[in-house]
Amino acid sequence: MLFRALWIPAPRLILSGACFAGVTLACAAASKEVALDVGHSTATQGAISARGVPEFEYNLALAREVAAALERAGLRVRLIGAAGDIEDLASRPRAALGSDFFISIHHDSIKERLLERWQHEGESRRYNDRVAGFSLFVSRENPRLAQSLACARAIGRMLREKGFTPSRYHADPVLGESREFADEPNGVHYFDRLAVARHAGMPALLFEAGVIVNRDEELRMRDPAVRQAIADALAQGIRQCLN
């Protein structure tokens, strides 16, 4: 398939930096660890893009970009689910125990009944070009809700500053699931029963980077420059809220 292969840079997961007198921000950042969860798995691959690529491939590519950006920002990283072998959702936040923050990386779709058909490379594929943008989700059942929400807001602000637009369709009763906004301008929703957030003992959220059943947005999510900009926004937002 023409668009099948995703370029995935090799991760460097742990940054070992020196803290020294007078550089308190750098020292504070270096002491923080982010648990970075790759959404879905090789067996349960998530949404299928408009060109037939499983969501897991997009999640893994972006997560590795985010890991590198977090390290550049002076944060330590614990990558979870990169081997694609974690099926139990509750085991993902358990694997993050001891970290300061948990974020699960995903790419979005829309309700099955709203997908249309088109032909791509001789195959019938499903798409919907009416929805686009990023979304962030926090759970009110997370014991660290205030900080979860602060981090989600910071990430949303950074993404908007870099030119990304939040998707509002999740709040729509027809297109989405009537997900209540926690912070509408920054694309943050409440999703109380969200397993990876409610089971986490640390501040946690789920991030939908873009809608891969949208044919134009799928191509943007494949662009290394776009992935880099998303990763930098996440790293800057996370560092800001953790400090």
Side-chain angles (χ1 to χ4, degrees):
M1 180 183 297
L2 178 62
F3 291 100
R4 186 67 179 179
L6 290 177
W7 178 76
I8 301 174
R12 294 174 296 110
L13 299 183
I14 300 296
L15 178 70
S16 57
C19 281
F20 49 91
V23 193
T24 55
L25 184 61
C27 290
S31 69
K32 303 290 186 179
E33 182 181 78
V34 177
L36 186 59
D37 174 52
V38 181
H40 297 289
S41 67
T42 53
T44 308
Q45 298 192 351
I48 301 299
S49 79
R51 291 170 175 82
V53 180
E55 179 191 345
F56 177 73
E57 296 186 23
Y58 286 92
N59 298 345
L60 181 59
L62 180 57
R64 286 180 166 166
E65 292 276 10
V66 175
L70 287 167
E71 290 174 349
R72 289 193 299 271
L75 294 157
R76 294 179 294 116
V77 179
R78 187 185 307 186
L79 194 59
I80 296 169
D85 57 354
I86 301 179
E87 296 298 319
D88 175 35
L89 293 177
S91 68
R92 293 173 181 267
R94 283 199 298 270
L97 288 175
S99 296
D100 297 284
F101 182 69
F102 178 95
I103 180 169
S104 189
I105 302 296
H106 288 257
H107 289 73
D108 219 347
S109 184
I110 197 170
K111 291 179 178 179
E112 287 285 323
R113 62 182 174 81
L114 299 175
L115 294 173
E116 304 173 53
R117 290 280 181 182
W118 75 309
Q119 291 291 315
H120 174 66
E121 297 185 342
E123 297 285 342
S124 177
R125 300 296 184 190
R126 306 183 77 185
Y127 77 99
N128 186 306
D129 292 339
R130 291 180 291 167
V131 295
F134 71 85
S135 299
L136 295 145
F137 298 91
V138 298
S139 171
R140 281 173 287 207
E141 296 182 10
N142 180 279
R144 304 285 298 279
L145 173 60
Q147 194 172 9
S148 299
L149 187 52
C151 288
R153 285 173 168 157
I155 290 169
R157 283 195 302 269
M158 290 297 178
L159 286 164
R160 290 172 57 222
E161 286 179 11
K162 291 183 180 292
F164 296 97
T165 303
S167 174
R168 291 174 166 79
Y169 87 90
H170 283 285
D172 189 278
V174 176
L175 296 178
E177 309 90 10
S178 299
R179 298 282 179 212
E180 179 185 351
F181 276 112
D183 181 345
E184 184 172 359
N186 293 311
V188 184
H189 298 261
Y190 289 118
F191 188 170
D192 294 336
R193 303 298 291 174
L194 184 63
V196 293
R198 65 191 289 257
H199 291 301
M202 68 289 295
L205 61 86
L206 184 145
F207 172 58
E208 299 276 10
V211 181
I212 56 173
V213 294
N214 180 309
R215 291 173 292 184
D216 290 338
E217 185 142 285
E218 177 184 15
L219 297 182
R220 293 184 69 234
M221 294 298 104
R222 304 184 74 83
D223 184 339
V226 171
R227 286 205 306 267
Q228 182 68 67
I230 293 172
D232 287 342
L234 264 63
Q236 291 165 21
I238 292 169
R239 175 168 175 161
Q240 182 185 97
C241 78
L242 290 183
N243 286 334

